[in-house]
């Protein structure tokens, strides 16, 4: 029997046990009573058959109630009779008591036996009623959510979790944009006096982990107003009309506490474009969206209610949701730059103990492309490693290992290479490094390792020399050459190829295809032949838009092939001309397994000195 079945049967079994216990108790407490008339009682009294007598006056009926036992009765047997409420009755009983020596008890208080009567006649029914009420409450409590389907799931943030802009590092421009909302919530008359209308909705757009939710909390904390937060998925239910009812209830609650903020996280769950997809729109989701549109800017007014929503998929949202009067301001929350990463690291480093040699600026420089959540996770992983290694403070070795774990996963220390595989991986990674070092447009080599991590046998950490918004054609070509350097080194040194370069080919091909179809960097000219993103409703690459003929498709493939082949030859030339540098880096990897940027720079410097000596010898000859 499953746990769920046992849980459902338990209340019924409990009720049965309670009823059985009540029945047993009432049976044990109930005795067999023999009713007799007064004359029969007097006859038994004369014949000395009475063992005990108990007299209780009943003023309502002007009689005595007489109970007791006859000789020969069992433990649960008794008799019951009545007699006139006169003094002669008591006198007669006392006379027979002196002759027959039976026990007699006279109750002077008419209410003396009420408690016992109540215990026998009322308590069992009270217990049964209580058991039934408990059972009903149990069942109603288990299904209480069915009674509030239409209630809003929005939660009111407590003051204990109050967040301000001081807790949000970086995002300077984004905070300035949101400062208007704070000023409006504090002093609405200042804006209405000038005829200005504050945006009713602000949409925060950005990659996951960039701090959209934290930014919304900070706005509420700075403005010191009620802050309701809810996820977009909380609106959608199986039953049609529930989501729309929850939207109405949410705005009703917000109006009672206006001015206030409503934060809807992952709004794309309910705000997707209507009438899209293979099977049409979901009726419940579309009704919920329609109700949200009406509440935001319908016939009713929502003065003092500002909605902040967050999503990382703005391309899927319905156009009606983004028009002025609803979400009429979009704020892009991007990935932090170097200075912002340093500020974020300082915030997350407050409660951690670091070694004196730790430089947060250097860590910020190395973590290109990290979001705020990634940086927090990096320092947390470093702290966990420090505890695991029984150290007192977080050192650079823990930061390096944490970085590798975040990027590639934990090291596969137990996975052993054969000697040949180890040499192949070493030369493969050294090939990436040599090409990266010799090409100006390639990224800087920061670290090389042949320790397996995740699905990779080793990896080469290369970061941009500068953080830029644009990339030139030469930089993209050099980047492709860097990806191909591993395969070229394998083929050059071992005269054979392995499967280790599959991921490198994937990245190189994506760049080459984007150059041809998106960036206009080929002989096909400045034409965008493919959209940067795949279909958002039919699955990735399921129905990717292709605005070209089959002949153009063939030429696209040819152009991609030309780019790859040309850069492969560039990598071959670099590897052949710098074989000594390739050997130095590969041998160092075989010996140490991991090389840092400083160690790589020493190897390059050593190689350059040898090269200059050779040139001098040739000149003297």
């Amino acid at each position: 029997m499953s746990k769920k079945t046992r849980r459902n049967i338990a209340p019924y079994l409990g009720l049965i046990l309670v009823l059985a216990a009540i029945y047993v108790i009432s049976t044990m407490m109930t005795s067999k009573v023999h009713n007799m008339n007064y004359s029969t009682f007097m006859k038994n009294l004369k014949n000395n058959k009475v063992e005990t007598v108990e007299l209780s006056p009943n003023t309502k009926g002007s009689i005595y109630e007489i109970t007791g036992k006859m000789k020969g009765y069992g433990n649960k047997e008794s008799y019951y009779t009545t007699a006139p409420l006169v003094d002669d009755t008591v006198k007669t009983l006392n006379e027979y008591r002196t002759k027959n020596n039976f026990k007699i008890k006279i109750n002077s208080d008419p209410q003396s036996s009420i408690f016992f009567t109540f215990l026998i006649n009322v308590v069992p029914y009270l217990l049964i009623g209580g058991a039934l009420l408990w059972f009903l409450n149990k069942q109603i409590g288990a299904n209480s959510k069915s009674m509030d389907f239409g209630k809003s799931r929005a939660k009111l943030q407590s003051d204990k979790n109050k967040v301000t802009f001081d807790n949000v590092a970086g995002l300077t421009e984004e905070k300035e944009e949101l400062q208007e909302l704070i000023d409006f919530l504090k002093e609405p008359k200042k804006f209405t006096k000038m005829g200005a209308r504050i945006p009713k909705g602000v949409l925060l757009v950005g990659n996951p982990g960039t701090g959209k939710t934290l930014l919304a909390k900070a706005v509420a904390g700075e403005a010191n107003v009620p802050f309701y937060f809810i996820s977009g998925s909380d609106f959608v239910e199986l039953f049609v009309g529930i989501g729309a009812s929850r939207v109405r209830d949410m705005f009703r609650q917000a109006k009672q506490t206006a001015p206030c903020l409503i934060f809807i996280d992952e709004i794309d769950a309910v705000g997707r474009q209507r009438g899209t997809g293979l099977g049409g729109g979901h009726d419940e989701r579309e009704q919920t969206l329609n109700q949200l549109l009406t509440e935001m800017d319908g016939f009713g007014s929502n003065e003092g209610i500002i909605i902040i929503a967050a999503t990382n998929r703005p391309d899927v949202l319905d156009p009606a949701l983004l028009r002025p009067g609803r979400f009429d301001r979009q704020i892009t929350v991007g990935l932090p730059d170097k200075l912002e990463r340093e500020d974020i690291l300082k915030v997350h480093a407050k409660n951690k103990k670091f070694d004196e040699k730790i430089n947060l600026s250097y860590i910020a420089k190395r973590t290109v492309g990290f979001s705020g959540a990634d940086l927090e996770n990096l320092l947390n992983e470093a702290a966990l490693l420090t505890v695991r290694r029984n150290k007192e403070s977080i050192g650079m070795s823990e930061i390096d290992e944490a970085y590798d774990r975040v990027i590639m996963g934990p090291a596969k220390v137990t996975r052993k290479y054969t000697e040949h595989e180890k040499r192949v991986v070493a030369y493969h990674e050294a090939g990436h490094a040599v090409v990266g070092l010799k090409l100006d447009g390639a990224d800087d080599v920061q670290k090389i390792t042949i320790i397996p991590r995740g699905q990779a046998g080793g990896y080469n950490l290369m970061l941009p020399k500068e953080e830029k918004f644009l990339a030139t054609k030469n930089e993209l070509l050099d980047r492709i050459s860097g990806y191909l350097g591993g395969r070229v080194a394998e083929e050059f040194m071992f005269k054979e190829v392995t499967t280790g370069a599959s991921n490198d080919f994937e990245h190189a091909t994506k760049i080459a295809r984007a150059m041809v179809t998106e960036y206009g960097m080929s002989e096909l000219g400045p034409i965008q032949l493919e959209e940067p993103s795949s279909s958002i409703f039919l699955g990735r690459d399921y129905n990717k838009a292709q605005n070209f003929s089959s002949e153009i498709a063939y030429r696209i493939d040819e152009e991609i092939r030309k780019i790859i082949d040309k850069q492969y030859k560039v990598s071959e030339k670099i590897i052949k001309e710098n074989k000594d540098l390739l050997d130095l880096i590969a041998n160092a990897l075989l010996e140490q397994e991991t090389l840092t940027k400083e160690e790589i720079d020493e190897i390059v410097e050593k190689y350059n000195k040898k090269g200059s000596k050779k040139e001098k010898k040739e000149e003297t000859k």
Side-chain angles (χ1 to χ4, degrees), residues 304-332:
I305 300 175
I306 296 177
I307 300 178
I308 300 178
T311 182
N312 57 348
R313 298 295 305 276
D315 51 331
V316 307
L317 296 179
D318 194 279
L321 199 61
L322 302 178
R323 75 158 176 81
R326 287 171 181 147
F327 285 108
D328 37 17
R329 180 177 293 184
Q330 290 190 32
I331 297 177
T332 301

Side-chain angles (χ1 to χ4, degrees), residues 29 94 102 168 239 281 284 295 499 568 577:
M29 295 176 64
N94 284 326
F102 57 84
V168 183
F239 305 103
E284 164 61 4
E295 292 288 346
T499 59
Y568 195 88
E577 291 176 353

